[in-house]
Amino acid sequence: MKIHKHEVIIVGAGGAGLMAALYASRGGADVAVVSKLYPTRSHTGTAQGGIGAALGNLDEDQPIYHAYDTVKGGDYLADQNAALVLAEGAVEAVIELEHMGLPFDRTPDGRISQRRFGGHTREFGKELVRRACHAADRTGHMILQTLYQNCIKRNVNFFDEFQVVDTIINDGVCVGVVAIQIGTGEFHIFHGKAVMFASGGWGRCWSVSSNAHSMTGDGAAAVLRRGVPLQDMEFFQFHPTGIYKMGILITEGVRGEGGVLINNKGERFMEKYAPSAKDLASRDVVSRAIYDEVKKGNGIKGKDYVYLDVRPETVNRFFAEEGRKERIDAAYVEKKLPDILDFCRTYLGVDPVKEPMPIQPTAHYAMGGIPTNVDAQVVIDENWTVLPGMYAAGETACVSCHGANRLGTNSLVDLIVFGRRGGMHMADYVKGVDWTPLPADAGHEIESEFKRIRSSRGKMKPYQLRAKMQEVMMENVGVYRTEKTMTEAINVLRELRHEFRTNIAIDDQGYKFNTDLMEAWELGNLLELAEVTALSARNRTESRGGHSRDDYPKRDDENWLVHTLVCRAGTDDDPQYTINTAKKVDMSLAETDERFRPKVRAY
Amino acid sequence: MKVTFKIKRYNPEIPGKDKPYWEEFTLDNVEPTDRLLEMLHRIKWEQDGTLTLRRSCAHGVCGSDAMRINGVNHLACKVLMQDLGSKVTIEPILGLPVLKDLVVDMEPFFDHYKHVMPFFVNDTPLPADGRERRQSQFDREAFDDTTKCILCACCTTSCPSYWANGKYVGPAAIVNAHRFIFDTRDQAAKERLEILSEPQGVWRCRTIYNCTPACPRDIQVTKAISEVKLAIRKGSPEGIIKVTEIVERVVNA
Ligand SMILES: Cc1cc2nc3c(=O)[nH]c(=O)nc-3n(C[C@H](O)[C@H](O)[C@H](O)COP(=O)(O)OP(=O)(O)OC[C@H]3O[C@@H](n4cnc5c(N)ncnc54)[C@H](O)[C@@H]3O)c2cc1C
Ligand code: SF4
Ligand code: SF4
Ligand code: FES
């Protein structure tokens, strides 16, 4: 096995990984970024609406308001210290992105332009505030491009199309990862002093998903298998507006620009569910409202979707009703939402300027993940014990600034703020520690696991198992859940795991670009994470944020202001999971400020 | 609807398949609104797991799945079956070495990209108030189009000049240079214009116009190239993109 030695190894080249790479490199470390996709293909590039920061360019704004919205949006499960770091760090980080060349849209006086987004308010919920900094509806694309460009400028080492398949922990220290070079099928070891997982989410566990095919949670699954816990896995966000059946995301920015949700009676139904914020209430609230409308028979044509309407005449009518002065026209919509119009015209044959868009909630974002502190160091228990050398940032991490439900625009902030902090921390850390050697058998275990998968000659094709998993997760561990549906899901997932371990067929026996094999391995990760999600969800006997149970419809602050930590022991064939709920939510802001204490969440 | 797919295949590891060859697959129950990418997935998943392609986002924004579809470059995830008919021919994009089936070696493409200094340069002191550099809406609009590039290579691999000479930097690299040359905040326009006036630079472009229709992001590729050419002739990007041209777009925003 070829061994590469770099002080800092970063797994993933999305926003989080690239930001960390830049800062670790600026801090003087020798950095290698290992990514299964070419960096510019990373999912960060699909983020549309914006990145939140209290710049106050258009409305009076302060980081503490942003922190408040984040905590409230997270249904009080966010660690408040992390939410504050996020909100305060956002301002500096966004300005820095501009300095790195990011072409934000501009205000008439040449500053970074900002728009409204769900749940973002001024003065602790008083009114919606323009906080989302944007570059048309391709903000994530511009962030990804800008960071990659800056990494090229700094000559950061890239290992593109190398897929990390295992992590190496020696004597309680993380010393590297094992990766397969996709083009050759060869195994490589990356030996480092610090390893960061920035490998993104696992939205492909569900059948209707906004996530790319590559979002298979490889990093989270790989560390879980090595005994690192995963935190708050029950909290997975369903974005209210995915294109019907396809799941392709329609940004909240559409509603930020005045778009409204309409049921089959032509009602703007969010007025009933969230009288104040209406269509821009938190995502969990809006997704549930859509499900409730559908349940009442108010779906369009009696089906399981509703309309998102951004036709100027509709928007202007509601602006007038609300006494708002602004008016929009077709050219404005074209300018502000070009990609959205393109998606709808391409995939639906619907022109949103003339017709409403059919939408339904779509699996979107993992609030949970690899637990870290605010410096992106991985922490493995309720006492915040650090696993030396291991870091995580971005969607795969759980710091937890998003709590039970992430606010729109806050993921991009998370990538930038915690990617940056992690990068800086790693640069310092590697200066102060010696190299821990690799274990003698590094990489052997995963190599034989791949041999095993490759030689599978069973009857099931991986896609069949994947489709079953995605359906059962959508039906049973989706927007609404109960004990019964989750137990059912867990049983099905166990069967699927058994099939996966004993009865799959791999067609491709080659080594070069064997995507058949890699997809099968990725399915194993999805199955693992799906099961952990269902187990964590069943264990939490309350409803909070993105986790809504029909059998426990209320939030229970007495018992559940705690994080879930799941650990895995046992073998891949017969894993044993333990769930620990001893980790308390950080309430440091609430200690001095009444407004941060949990209360009923109304929008 | 029943559709036949004729796919150009190549597998360097299997004797007999290590020269490019055509293979046909047939799918039933194809819906007009299905994406071609889904059909390729169906073939791979249901019929032949060895069929190899790159893909990720499935909605036309990551740039992974450029291929030659019925003779024209496209992203497989951005083409609907209703636009392809019942016989579809699929090949890897041209001009880059094929590695396996529809997967080509992207390294030469990214090397050209890196060659044009595709990164922001401005070494002047940052604003004293610690805030963003200011830029007018007009100045921002001037390079808006070329910021949309997703580096899919559809343009470059449809360019006859590039096919004839793989050393030509190609339209994608020029588009990405344009993005910086016409950004008023950037200061390395001169260096980039020098790079692009080299023999393998913009003058290789014979304005054959294949690249613009190939772009899945609707970037006016040829227009960008001609603006770069003008800037080289003039020795500076100033005054080339006329305010009158962008006024309307900005006023509408
Ligand atoms: C359609 C859409 C729109 C969104 N819009 C917004 C928005 O407007 N605002 C907002 O704040 N958030 C938004 N989000 C959420 C946000 O974009 C993501 O959460 C975020 O980009 C994740 O970034 P990341 O850096 O953690 O991971 P990603 O960008 O997903 O990158 C993951 C990286 O890890 C690599 N990788 C994965 N597995 C492996 C492996 N095994 N080995 C090596 N490398 C690996 C990949 O190659 C990739 O480079 C949106 C999400 C979606 C899906
Ligand atoms: S216009 Fe220029 S770059 Fe485009 S295809 Fe023609 S020769 Fe190539
Ligand atoms: S200019 Fe268009 S076709 Fe060319 S690489 Fe960029 S996005 Fe692709
Ligand atoms: S898969 Fe991303 S562009 Fe087609």
Side-chain angles (χ1 to χ4, degrees):
Chain A
M1 254 178 244
K2 187 158 187 227
I3 297 177
H4 308 259
K5 209 166 163 179
H6 295 276
E7 286 173 317
V8 171
I9 313 286
I10 296 176
V11 182
L18 294 180
M19 194 72 179
L22 265 182
Y23 276 86
S25 154
R26 284 188 192 171
D30 166 31
V31 183
V33 181
V34 184
S35 175
K36 71 175 176 181
L37 302 172
Y38 272 102
T40 58
R41 317 285 187 230
S42 303
H43 206 56
T44 296
T46 67
Q48 301 166 354
I51 172 166
L55 303 181
N57 283 354
L58 289 164
D59 299 324
E60 199 270 323
D61 201 3
Q62 293 177 19
I64 193 74
Y65 303 159
H66 187 182
Y68 170 84
D69 294 335
T70 303
V71 167
K72 178 182 171 193
D75 220 350
Y76 300 93
L77 193 78
D79 285 324
Q80 300 191 346
N81 61 332
L84 188 64
V85 168
L86 177 93
E88 287 182 339
V91 175
E92 201 182 351
V94 165
I95 297 288
E96 258 178 41
L97 287 175
E98 197 283 333
H99 294 163
M100 287 188 219
L102 199 142
F104 283 109
D105 289 354
R106 298 288 167 161
T107 62
D109 63 353
R111 298 167 198 259
I112 295 171
S113 182
Q114 300 185 276
R115 61 161 66 115
R116 292 184 188 89
F117 237 79
H120 289 278
T121 69
R122 187 162 73 86
E123 290 175 55
F124 309 96
K126 202 163 159 200
E127 59 185 345
L128 288 167
V129 69
R130 282 175 284 186
R131 184 180 289 148
C133 310
H134 56 91
D137 51 2
R138 50 177 188 281
T139 313
H141 165 77
M142 293 318 332
I143 291 178
L144 188 64
Q145 297 279 329
T146 302
L147 293 176
Y148 183 54
Q149 291 155 358
N150 277 273
C151 284
I152 293 177
K153 192 174 174 185
R154 279 204 68 86
N155 285 315
V156 171
N157 302 299
F158 280 97
F159 292 86
D160 298 335
E161 299 194 322
F162 278 68
Q163 187 155 1
V164 169
V165 289
D166 199 3
T167 174
I168 313 171
I169 299 174
N170 197 9
D171 238 356
V173 179
C174 182
V175 295
V177 291
V178 186
I180 294 180
Q181 183 172 9
I182 299 173
T184 62
E186 284 160 359
F187 281 81
H188 292 244
I189 287 178
F190 289 85
H191 183 192
K193 289 181 177 179
V195 175
M196 174 183 271
F197 285 87
S199 46
W202 43 91
R204 284 280 156 180
C205 286
W206 287 266
S207 57
V208 178
S209 170
S210 70
N211 280 203
H213 287 287
S214 54
M215 304 288 280
T216 50
D218 304 356
V223 301
L224 179 71
R225 288 193 193 100
R226 292 288 171 193
V228 176
L230 296 180
Q231 180 172 312
D232 294 344
M233 292 295 285
E234 62 273 38
F235 298 103
F236 199 92
Q237 180 170 76
F238 282 75
H239 192 293
T241 57
I243 292 184
Y244 182 49
K245 281 189 178 161
M246 277 186 256
I248 298 174
L249 193 80
I250 301 295
T251 174
E252 203 163 300
V254 171
R255 285 169 285 143
E257 298 294 355
V260 291
L261 294 164
I262 302 284
N263 64 17
N264 69 347
K265 299 185 174 140
E267 291 164 345
R268 182 184 184 185
F269 58 85
M270 282 313 296
E271 287 174 338
K272 293 184 289 190
Y273 296 87
S276 163
K278 297 184 186 114
D279 300 272
L280 285 170
S282 252
R283 288 179 180 171
D284 56 331
V285 175
V286 183
S287 286
R288 278 194 295 274
I290 295 172
Y291 265 69
D292 291 349
E293 285 297 303
V294 166
K295 216 184 280 168
K296 285 187 215 153
N298 294 345
I300 307 297
K301 297 183 185 142
K303 296 215 178 106
D304 54 343
Y305 69 95
V306 296
Y307 281 139
L308 172 60
D309 193 344
V310 73
R311 290 176 295 179
E313 63 267 30
T314 310
V315 172
N316 291 336
R317 178 156 56 88
F318 286 109
F319 278 169
E321 266 180 29
E322 286 170 21
R324 272 162 74 175
K325 280 198 280 314
E326 65 236 79
R327 295 291 178 268
I328 64 168
D329 59 15
Y332 178 89
V333 179
E334 298 272 356
K335 183 72 213 161
K336 289 291 178 179
L337 302 163
D339 281 3
I340 297 302
L341 300 193
D342 184 33
F343 296 152
C344 290
R345 288 168 185 157
T346 306
Y347 297 116
L348 290 169
V350 163
D351 185 348
V353 176
K354 302 202 185 90
E355 292 163 86
M357 305 165 242
I359 58 93
Q360 76 184 135
T362 181
H364 185 56
Y365 181 84
M367 269 76 73
I370 309 170
T372 71
N373 62 25
V374 292
D375 288 312
Q377 292 177 286
V378 171
V379 288
I380 51 175
D381 57 23
E382 66 272 25
N383 304 316
W384 299 81
T385 307
V386 167
L387 197 169
M390 189 183 278
Y391 291 74
E395 188 168 337
T396 205
C398 177
V399 19
S400 145
C401 54
H402 307 304
N405 170 62
R406 170 176 73 81
L407 283 193
T409 83
N410 267 0
S411 169
L412 293 175
V413 185
D414 177 355
L415 312 182
I416 300 306
V417 169
F418 294 105
R420 180 171 179 264
R421 291 177 70 97
M424 289 181 186
H425 199 277
M426 289 191 289
D428 282 344
Y429 172 79
V430 299
K431 280 182 205 137
V433 296
D434 284 331
W435 288 89
T436 304
L438 293 168
D441 60 351
H444 290 186
E445 214 176 313
I446 190 72
E447 205 176 15
S448 36
E449 168 65 2
F450 267 86
K451 271 200 195 112
R452 188 195 65 78
I453 304 177
R454 180 194 294 278
S455 59
S456 306
R457 294 287 174 280
K459 294 203 177 61
M460 297 296 280
K461 295 264 189 138
Y463 87 92
Q464 294 169 300
L465 305 183
R466 186 170 50 229
K468 266 207 181 133
M469 167 196 69
Q470 290 172 336
E471 268 160 42
V472 78
M473 288 300 283
M474 198 73 197
E475 281 295 311
N476 292 19
V477 197
V479 169
Y480 281 111
R481 312 141 173 202
T482 64
E483 173 88 28
K484 186 165 160 283
T485 64
M486 289 184 282
T487 301
E488 238 172 65
I490 292 164
N491 293 338
V492 172
L493 291 168
R494 271 293 156 120
E495 281 163 32
L496 292 174
R497 174 193 293 268
H498 181 71
E499 288 285 291
F500 175 72
R501 303 286 307 168
T502 57
N503 191 26
I504 56 165
I506 302 295
D507 289 350
D508 196 336
Q509 292 302 307
Y511 288 86
K512 299 184 173 176
F513 279 101
N514 190 340
T515 51
D516 195 24
L517 178 66
M518 296 320 290
E519 279 184 22
W521 180 74
E522 290 173 340
L523 169 62
N525 298 334
L526 289 172
L527 284 169
E528 188 76 56
L529 297 175
E531 189 165 340
V532 166
T533 301
L535 287 167
S536 304
R538 188 174 60 175
N539 190 59
R540 184 176 283 269
T541 48
E542 64 156 356
S543 287
R544 182 185 297 274
H547 172 64
S548 306
R549 294 185 58 154
D550 282 331
D551 45 356
Y552 295 92
K554 290 237 160 57
R555 194 175 82 194
D556 175 1
D557 291 340
E558 269 315 92
N559 298 302
W560 287 106
L561 279 173
V562 291
H563 297 293
T564 305
L565 290 176
V566 190
C567 252
R568 203 198 94 161
T571 60
D572 286 333
D573 292 312
D574 186 21
Q576 265 100 51
Y577 298 97
T578 44
I579 299 181
N580 163 342
T581 53
K583 190 174 181 182
K584 294 218 160 48
V585 174
D586 177 282
M587 288 280 167
S588 46
L589 296 174
E591 275 161 28
T592 55
D593 189 339
E594 164 72 23
R595 289 173 296 214
F596 284 84
R597 294 219 185 109
K599 51 178 147 330
V600 176
R601 205 164 56 120
Y603 280 100
Chain B
M1 159 167 104
K2 182 173 169 157
V3 179
T4 310
F5 299 82
K6 192 174 154 204
I7 303 178
K8 195 171 202 177
R9 304 205 53 183
Y10 164 72
N11 187 335
E13 292 179 283
I14 300 183
K17 299 189 168 177
D18 54 354
K19 298 250 154 38
Y21 66 101
W22 292 95
E23 187 167 356
E24 283 197 2
F25 298 90
T26 305
L27 288 178
D28 289 317
N29 305 323
V30 174
E31 297 288 329
T33 53
D34 283 340
R35 290 165 263 185
L36 173 62
L37 177 63
E38 297 170 277
M39 300 305 99
L40 293 173
H41 271 151
R42 275 184 60 191
I43 295 171
K44 180 179 177 63
W45 294 342
E46 295 165 14
Q47 301 187 18
D48 181 355
T50 69
L51 179 68
T52 304
L53 60 140
R54 291 190 179 100
R55 89 297 185 248
S56 184
C57 73
H59 65 285
V61 289
C62 78
S64 296
D65 56 345
M67 47 191 80
R68 205 168 147 85
I69 302 159
N70 286 345
V72 225
N73 284 359
H74 257 307
L75 301 172
C77 65
K78 236 193 149 179
V79 185
L80 300 190
M81 294 313 296
Q82 64 198 20
D83 301 320
L84 294 176
S86 60
K87 266 199 165 328
V88 183
T89 311
I90 302 165
E91 307 159 72
I93 44 179
L94 299 178
L96 292 167
V98 179
L99 300 175
K100 182 175 175 183
D101 291 344
L102 300 168
V103 175
V104 299
D105 181 3
M106 292 296 287
E107 290 301 320
F109 175 80
F110 280 106
D111 286 344
H112 286 317
Y113 166 71
K114 289 173 192 160
H115 183 62
V116 300
M117 300 174 67
F119 41 76
F120 186 71
V121 179
N122 184 333
D123 299 326
T124 60
L126 295 168
D129 61 0
R131 300 293 300 225
E132 64 266 49
R133 289 195 170 90
R134 302 283 185 103
Q135 183 172 45
S136 76
Q137 291 178 333
F138 292 103
D139 288 344
R140 166 65 179 79
E141 185 62 35
F143 65 102
D144 186 64
D145 201 34
T146 46
T147 65
K148 297 190 302 202
C149 175
I150 54 173
L151 297 168
C152 67
C154 276
C155 57
T156 296
T157 61
S158 66
C159 169
S161 299
Y162 182 74
W163 296 336
N165 173 6
K167 290 200 178 112
Y168 165 37
V169 292
I174 304 174
V175 160
N176 282 279
H178 179 283
R179 177 253 171 274
F180 290 101
I181 292 169
F182 291 93
D183 184 342
T184 46
R185 300 170 302 165
D186 182 90
Q187 296 183 320
K190 214 161 162 263
E191 287 94 316
R192 289 194 198 89
L193 291 175
E194 258 161 42
I195 293 171
L196 288 173
S197 59
E198 287 165 4
Q200 309 298 347
V202 283
W203 306 115
R204 290 269 158 199
C205 165
R206 308 267 184 257
T207 326
I208 306 164
Y209 206 70
N210 271 10
C211 51
T212 304
C215 178
R217 302 284 294 157
D218 293 330
I219 297 170
Q220 298 301 307
V221 181
T222 324
K223 181 161 172 285
I225 296 175
S226 62
E227 285 165 355
V228 172
K229 286 178 177 169
L230 276 174
I232 292 177
R233 285 214 184 87
K234 222 181 136 212
S236 139
E238 257 162 66
I240 285 171
I241 301 182
K242 299 277 180 304
V243 173
T244 46
E245 200 185 298
I246 48 183
V247 152
E248 202 189 338
R249 284 187 272 162
V250 174
V251 169
N252 274 327

